Amino acid sequence: MNFDAYARTGVDLVNARLDDLDDLRALFPDSSAWMREEVAERDLAIFRRAQKRLRDVFEYGTSGRDADAVAELNALLEAYPVQPRISGHDSSDWHMHVTSRGASVSAEYLAGAVWGLSVWLCEYGSARFGVCADERCGNVYLDTSSNCCRRFCSERCATRSHVAAHRARKRAAIGEQATVAARPAAAESLTPVS
């Protein structure tokens, strides 16, 4: 089983828009087209609740609250239990499913996502769960950097944030220069004339 792929489905869920059923359908990749076809309106509320709880896991990890991240993942593992089974259409297509036959779309997807994130936490630690440092973004990510130093969900957010910080420093420097230049003129106007 590819646990990283399952963990990434958790990331995809947390970062997804879930305004309506079409948004939920867009969450499923082409390899899971059957989920797109079978997802129902009742699944939308289930996905939204799980999305909120998984976001909490990422926020706990980002803030160093390992025990809280573990407690939430354990609760989610109970809510969406993994019941592995081998499936396939012929002997060249055997693969694993994480739930029993006939499970709902939400049970199948969420069991895999929670299982993948749980394995990820056990292997790499919750410090590898990140929330983008760009205040305008808020997406979550799995930190795969060699020294656990990633701060942004993407290069785009990193660049946007760095450019904004550079421009703010430049504006502050220009404002400071204007203040310094204005001080001697103000001081001269206060000097008594003899």
Side-chain angles (χ1 to χ4, degrees), residues 70-89:
V70 168
E72 188 62 38
L73 281 172
N74 278 333
L76 286 163
L77 284 168
E78 286 181 31
Y80 306 104
V82 176
Q83 300 170 336
R85 68 180 174 86
I86 300 171
S87 182
H89 305 291

Side-chain angles (χ1 to χ4, degrees), residues 66-139:
D66 292 354
D68 291 330
V70 168
E72 188 62 38
L73 281 172
N74 278 333
L76 286 163
L77 284 168
E78 286 181 31
Y80 306 104
V82 176
Q83 300 170 336
R85 68 180 174 86
I86 300 171
S87 182
H89 305 291
D90 59 49
S91 61
S92 64
D93 186 32
W94 298 121
H95 58 277
M96 295 294 292
H97 280 265
V98 295
T99 58
S100 61
R101 182 184 307 273
S104 67
V105 171
S106 55
E108 177 85 21
Y109 188 96
L110 296 172
V114 171
W115 178 252
L117 290 171
S118 298
V119 169
W120 183 275
L121 182 137
C122 290
E123 186 148 340
Y124 304 109
S126 70
R128 294 288 183 157
F129 292 171
V131 178
C132 189
D134 185 343
E135 295 171 1
R136 295 164 288 187
C137 178
N139 280 345

